Amino acid sequence: VSVSDEPLITYRRTYCFGMCPVFRSSISQDGLISYEGVNFVDNMGHYEATLSAAQKNSIIQKIYEVNYFELDSSYDNEYLMDVPSIVTSVNFEGKSHEILDRYEGPKELKKLYKELDDIFATLEWKPATEIE
């Protein structure tokens, strides 16, 4: 798999015992977003949308602002049970990094989630064409 085939960003939220939103998303290098809503989200099932160049640049800018590639790969506390995780990965300019944020992740990282959530909220999602 060449780097250009790797998603630019993956962004997912995991289960908790309560009503946590659960979804998986992947943004390709060319800005196509594949999204699967699993639990407690507006869009349940498979959807896709496309980022504008400005939206994609805004996300890339935020990756730099939060120093994503300098952050630890895990923020966790194994003694806590009912805490959802946010897992992100970024593949950009030959660099690749994944972060599990389950407990006390840096505030900067939350700015990246907010950027993604805000942009996702403005997109025109279309049901994905299932390819089996």
Side-chain angles (χ1 to χ4, degrees):
V1 178
S2 79
V3 172
S4 62
D5 294 337
E6 291 284 319
L8 172 65
I9 297 172
T10 63
Y11 173 43
R12 63 188 173 98
R13 291 179 180 259
T14 66
Y15 288 94
C16 67
F17 293 138
M19 294 173 50
C20 300
V22 179
F23 64 84
R24 292 182 211 54
S25 66
S26 178
I27 302 174
S28 71
Q29 298 288 340
D30 60 6
L32 181 67
I33 307 172
S34 168
Y35 176 93
E36 181 187 5
V38 180
N39 218 356
F40 300 111
V41 291
D42 290 339
N43 290 333
M44 295 289 286
H46 295 269
Y47 288 83
E48 12 187 76
T50 305
L51 292 174
S52 68
Q55 288 168 324
K56 183 179 161 190
N57 290 339
S58 177
I59 292 169
I60 290 168
Q61 182 67 39
K62 194 62 69 177
I63 289 166
Y64 281 114
E65 278 176 29
V66 305
N67 290 315
Y68 187 87
F69 292 103
E70 311 305 313
L71 297 173
D72 292 340
S73 57
S74 182
Y75 298 92
D76 200 358
N77 179 332
E78 63 194 56
Y79 300 108
L80 291 176
M81 292 300 129
D82 183 26
V83 183
S85 301
I86 300 174
V87 183
T88 53
S89 69
V90 174
N91 300 287
F92 188 63
E93 294 184 336
K95 291 190 275 196
S96 182
H97 189 47
E98 180 174 278
I99 299 175
L100 165 71
D101 180 1
R102 203 173 83 96
Y103 180 70
E104 294 190 345
K107 282 197 273 292
E108 291 76 29
L109 206 45
K110 290 176 182 29
K111 293 176 185 173
L112 177 60
Y113 309 149
K114 181 170 178 2
E115 182 74 16
L116 290 166
D117 290 339
D118 289 352
I119 288 175
F120 280 19
T122 67
L123 293 172
E124 195 175 310
W125 294 98
K126 295 181 172 64
T129 50
E130 293 292 324
I131 300 167
E132 291 298 321

